[in-house]
Amino acid sequence: MAEMQIVAKALNDFGDDWHWVILHDAEPRGDRRFHASHVDTICGILLDEGGVVVTLHDTGAPDQPNCPRCLSGRMDPALRLALEEVLERAEAVPVTVRPR
Ligand SMILES: [Zn+2]
């Protein structure tokens, strides 16, 4: 399904950085409105899940975010997925502490 990537602020806080915000499984729902299965940012902020309708406002967003983690985290989606899988597996491995 379609994935929409927009530059937006995660919070209604003008001090916040601009992030790459991803609308997952985005479907148009009229003028500037999209339904998404969940909404998060590249740097890992989960904004909404379980199906939401997002209205896009013209907030004068720049072409690029200024969130350093969004910029550095912008990689090939396949690579990001592979990396997440590795990280998940690493978390699932029990840690054994042996006395010296
Ligand atoms: Zn970010």
Side-chain angles (χ1 to χ4, degrees):
M1 283 212 235
E3 194 171 272
M4 240 177 94
Q5 188 168 311
I6 57 169
V7 177
K9 291 195 178 196
L11 309 164
N12 289 328
D13 172 1
F14 288 105
D16 188 41
D17 287 339
W18 295 99
H19 300 273
W20 280 122
V21 174
I22 319 268
L23 309 184
H24 296 267
D25 310 325
E27 289 170 19
R29 287 286 162 88
D31 193 30
R32 289 174 168 261
R33 287 162 77 85
F34 293 87
H35 180 270
S37 65
H38 66 284
V39 182
D40 60 9
T41 69
I42 281 195
C43 62
I45 303 170
L46 181 66
L47 301 176
D48 247 313
E49 61 184 337
V52 284
V53 175
V54 179
T55 306
L56 301 185
H57 299 282
D58 187 359
T59 51
D63 292 338
Q64 293 280 317
N66 60 356
C67 165
R69 283 176 300 157
C70 274
L71 285 171
S72 66
R74 196 183 183 200
M75 56 177 91
D76 179 18
L79 183 65
R80 191 156 62 100
L81 197 67
L83 197 67
E84 277 171 10
E85 273 176 21
V86 169
L87 289 174
E88 272 171 27
R89 246 178 260 150
E91 277 173 13
V93 174
V95 177
T96 313
V97 180
R98 271 181 292 172
R100 282 196 264 181

